[in-house]
Amino acid sequence: MIELLFLLLPVAAGYGWVMGKNSAKNQAHQLNRQITSEYSKGLKFLLDREEDQGLEHLINLLEVSADSVEHYSTLATMFRRRGELDRAIKIHELLLKHPSLNEQQAATSRLELAEDYIMAGLLDSAEEHLVWLVKAGHVEALEPIITLYSQTREWEKGINMFEAHSELFSKEQQFKAIANFYCETALADNTPQLMRKAISLNYKAVRPLYELGLSAYTNEDYVKAIYYWRELVTQFTLFAPLFIDRLAHSYKQLNLTHQFHELVNDLLEKGGVLIKIKHCQALLEQGFTEQAFEFLTDSLKRQPTIRGFSFLLQLMADQNKNTKEVLEQIDKLVTSYIATKPDFQCQHCGFTSYTIYWNCPSCKHWETIVPSRGLDGF
């Protein structure tokens, strides 16, 4: 608790100085004596290791005056980090009631109080303060309330907040969150038009295009599937592993395989190993076996990948029957190795998984989990 002594010494000094200037007034003298008495009692309790009583006396100083908001905010933050949420909440509640706070100080205290409530599991109380801040135009409340609605899965509340205060939204992550709120609501209510709303947002998101393409593909509407997934793979080539095989199938069903080959060729420069494998498959389908070998081996020299090596082994096995059994066994070992590696990783916090999550379970960011790249990736 020694850090509390250093933290609150400036508070005591400030109080003494302020009260000293008005020493001619009896009321100021009395108030100063009261503060000094409470502060001394608090220090004595701390020095005697009676921490609970000491902290209560120091917190009571806030009820007398709040000339040093920053010190009390720091104290409350320390309590929160220590898990003493009841004390952090008490300080922030007292701060909010004090008439001397300016508008910014009040907003900061309200935001800190909301974070106390969230950590304490009092989500309704936190929401009340965050909604108040958003309505008052405080953009710093947007990310906490978006995280709150993500946690409680109250997608419609998030959408209503966005539509009422869209002028406050400016960050890409905020728009991606709202786009996913639209998608979650659309999937729950079977209202695909909400996903089209998501497409019209200032920042493009992955999921609306993916879900619309998936819905069309499931209904065997291959024209629409191609429309949405072609736009998606062009804008967000990194996500191609999620749907590239089904996109190829859609083209095939419409006898437009040559257009898929052209698309893959256009994506070669920014695509990963999976796009390169698709290009090799296209060359093989057209009978250009030698060119496929040359392209793949050259690509692996410049950027070695396990998946590319596995595909090369398959090609060698198909072309050389004498070594086919050996190569197939090697390929099985490589495939087994690949299966042990997570297919997805969060670009924000590094969280890895074997399946796609639109909202990262670790850092709670939207659409930051992507197919892995590099030696083991796509």
Side-chain angles (χ1 to χ4, degrees):
M1 299 304 299
I2 296 299
E3 66 269 25
L4 285 176
L5 302 181
F6 292 101
L7 175 65
L8 293 172
L9 281 175
V11 179
Y15 286 142
W17 182 80
V18 172
M19 294 301 112
K21 285 190 65 178
N22 302 303
S23 59
K25 299 180 180 179
N26 291 332
Q27 185 177 3
H29 275 301
Q30 183 179 357
L31 186 59
N32 191 22
R33 285 196 297 271
Q34 184 180 355
I35 292 173
T36 303
S37 174
E38 290 294 322
Y39 186 76
S40 299
K41 287 179 183 178
L43 291 182
K44 185 177 185 302
F45 281 126
L46 291 178
L47 291 171
D48 292 340
R49 297 189 178 279
E50 298 180 48
E51 296 182 1
D52 287 342
Q53 289 176 280
L55 290 171
E56 289 299 326
H57 273 82
L58 293 172
I59 290 173
N60 286 337
L61 290 175
L62 181 59
E63 301 179 23
V64 178
S65 179
D67 294 328
S68 186
V69 174
E70 184 179 349
H71 288 293
Y72 282 108
S73 295
T74 303
L75 181 60
T77 300
M78 186 177 65
F79 284 149
R80 184 199 301 155
R81 289 175 179 171
R82 289 176 48 179
E84 299 180 58
L85 298 173
D86 54 337
R87 289 195 170 105
I89 289 172
K90 182 174 182 179
I91 290 178
H92 285 133
E93 286 178 339
L94 290 172
L95 277 173
L96 276 180
K97 293 177 183 177
H98 205 284
S100 67
L101 266 66
N102 59 41
E103 182 179 349
Q104 185 56 48
Q105 288 174 327
T108 300
S109 297
R110 191 179 293 274
L111 183 61
E112 292 289 332
L113 178 58
E115 293 185 12
D116 294 338
Y117 282 140
I118 290 173
M119 289 193 66
L122 304 172
L123 303 185
D124 289 341
S125 298
E127 180 188 6
E128 179 182 346
H129 287 286
L130 292 172
V131 167
W132 188 96
L133 287 167
V134 171
K135 288 182 177 180
H138 293 282
V139 295
E140 61 269 23
L142 287 179
E143 291 182 21
I145 199 168
I146 286 173
T147 301
L148 177 62
Y149 287 145
S150 298
Q151 180 180 344
T152 58
R153 301 181 66 83
E154 295 179 289
W155 316 119
E156 291 188 12
K157 283 188 176 181
I159 290 172
N160 293 336
M161 176 191 66
F162 168 74
E163 292 182 350
H165 306 283
S166 58
E167 72 283 355
L168 299 179
F169 287 70
S170 60
K171 297 181 180 179
E172 183 177 4
Q173 181 59 211
Q174 295 168 353
F175 283 104
K176 284 185 176 181
I178 297 302
N180 277 269
F181 284 14
Y182 277 122
C183 289
E184 292 285 354
T185 305
L187 292 172
D189 300 341
N190 194 25
T191 52
Q193 61 270 21
L194 284 178
M195 291 188 194
R196 298 189 186 96
K197 269 193 171 185
I199 294 176
S200 66
L201 297 176
N202 290 356
Y203 285 90
K204 296 296 181 183
V206 173
R207 193 178 180 188
L209 291 169
Y210 172 76
E211 296 287 2
L212 286 168
L214 181 60
S215 176
Y217 181 86
T218 303
N219 294 321
E220 298 185 357
D221 188 346
Y222 299 116
V223 173
K224 282 188 177 180
I226 290 173
Y227 172 78
Y228 290 118
W229 281 343
R230 184 186 180 94
E231 184 175 353
L232 178 54
V233 78
T234 301
Q235 294 183 39
F236 302 97
T237 310
L238 190 59
F239 284 86
L242 294 181
F243 57 89
I244 193 70
D245 289 333
R246 285 171 290 187
L247 178 58
H249 179 74
S250 299
Y251 276 104
K252 184 177 181 180
Q253 290 298 108
L254 298 175
N255 294 319
L256 297 173
T257 300
H258 64 284
Q259 290 190 12
F260 177 72
H261 293 167
E262 291 172 0
L263 174 62
V264 168
N265 191 62
D266 292 339
L267 297 173
L268 277 178
E269 287 190 12
K270 57 181 180 179
V273 64
L274 187 59
I275 296 296
K276 292 178 174 62
I277 289 174
K278 291 298 178 186
H279 180 64
C280 284
Q281 290 173 337
L283 291 174
L284 291 171
E285 289 175 16
Q286 298 171 66
F288 302 126
T289 305
E290 187 175 345
Q291 291 92 323
F293 267 104
E294 290 178 359
F295 174 80
L296 187 57
T297 53
D298 183 60
S299 296
L300 289 173
K301 287 177 182 178
R302 289 185 284 106
Q303 187 178 4
T305 64
I306 298 297
R307 295 176 195 275
F309 178 63
S310 175
F311 185 71
L312 180 60
L313 289 176
Q314 294 173 29
L315 284 184
M316 293 172 66
D318 290 340
Q319 297 301 316
N320 193 335
K321 305 301 181 182
N322 295 329
T323 59
K324 181 176 181 178
E325 186 175 346
V326 174
L327 291 172
E328 285 179 347
Q329 290 300 317
I330 296 174
D331 184 50
K332 284 182 180 179
L333 293 174
V334 174
T335 303
S336 298
Y337 169 79
I338 293 174
T340 66
K341 299 297 180 180
D343 290 335
F344 302 92
Q345 184 172 27
C346 178
Q347 291 182 314
H348 183 259
C349 70
F351 173 84
T352 58
S353 69
Y354 291 90
T355 186
I356 185 71
Y357 290 97
W358 297 111
N359 186 225
C360 178
S362 178
C363 67
K364 309 304 179 186
H365 278 59
W366 286 94
E367 295 192 3
T368 53
I369 292 183
V370 302
S372 300
R373 300 296 287 267
L375 183 64
D376 300 324
F378 294 96

